[in-house]
Amino acid sequence: MLGAIFGDIVGSVYEFDNTHDPAFPLLIRWSRPTDDSIMTLAVAKALMETAGQDDGAIRTALVRSMQALGRQYPDSGYGGMFRQWLRSADPQPYHSFGNGSAMRVSAVGWLYPTLDATQHAARLTAEVTHDHPEGIKGAQAIAAAVFLARTGTDKAAIRSFIARKFGYNLSRTLDAIRPGYAFYETCQQSVPEAILAFLEGTSYEDVIRKAVTLGGDSDTIACMAGAIAEAYYPMPQQYREEALLRLDAPLRCIAEQYHRFYHSRKHLL
């Protein structure tokens, strides 16, 4: 999960000031966690609290956790509809296919023992807000890629599965996409691009650099790509430490709790 958070932090300063320079500085003074990291941690917290419980309990915990953290960190870059959802006394899904469902799902890819269970949990995390089929599909695609990467599936098989299962065009190259790529916040126009950044990357850091230099919604693309890359490549320890250092104490506490929770259950996964 720290792979997603670090990607978000790196991309945060390039979201509205895109760079195509692959030698860009990974971290500067203003690099910070955005709504992507806040909601990633909120989802992880809800899933930890409801391990082994039914779908209704998980949905309730997701709404509670996402609203609580979202209200605690109100200026993190949420979209307009999601901001309204955060403030609602009766929060209901709003048929969104924005990439918010996919950027917060990384913990799902680590916490379930089978691909089917992973897909089911990803659907639950999406549906509380993003109940449009494309919003659900985006979350499931990222979670599936994380699951496959962490369980030793090679890139060719990951590419084939995601393309077949979700219908994304993964035959393109980033070099072909980049010249005409713009700021897209939909799953349809950012999830496959994030997966391509992972597929083309040669290391965790290279994946992050490729994701950011694609342009567009840089923090979210790097968050999604970083989530998959962490499951496939060794993530440098210094980047794990930097991700934790740039979270405040309450958020860092959730991240550390998740780390302990995952490792206590790793033998089951």
Side-chain angles (χ1 to χ4, degrees), residues 21-95:
D21 178 3
F24 71 88
L26 277 180
L27 295 170
I28 63 175
R29 177 182 175 185
W30 298 279
S31 303
R32 63 179 182 85
T34 75
D35 58 324
D36 301 51
S37 294
I38 307 300
M39 289 300 114
T40 293
L41 290 164
V43 167
K45 184 174 187 293
L47 297 178
M48 288 188 289
E49 291 173 349
T50 55
Q53 298 184 36
D54 63 22
D55 290 358
I58 294 171
R59 288 191 185 96
T60 298
L62 285 163
V63 172
R64 180 177 64 244
S65 181
M66 290 164 64
Q67 282 200 320
L69 278 188
R71 292 172 181 178
Q72 189 175 345
Y73 300 90
D75 300 317
S76 299
Y78 309 107
M81 291 294 291
F82 188 76
R83 189 180 298 276
Q84 292 180 37
W85 183 90
L86 285 176
R87 295 195 298 260
S88 175
D90 181 28
Q92 298 296 322
Y94 47 92
H95 210 54

Side-chain angles (χ1 to χ4, degrees), residues 168-184:
Y168 289 143
N169 181 2
L170 300 181
S171 64
R172 301 167 297 159
T173 66
L174 295 180
D175 284 345
I177 295 167
R178 189 176 291 109
Y181 195 65
F183 192 92
Y184 300 115

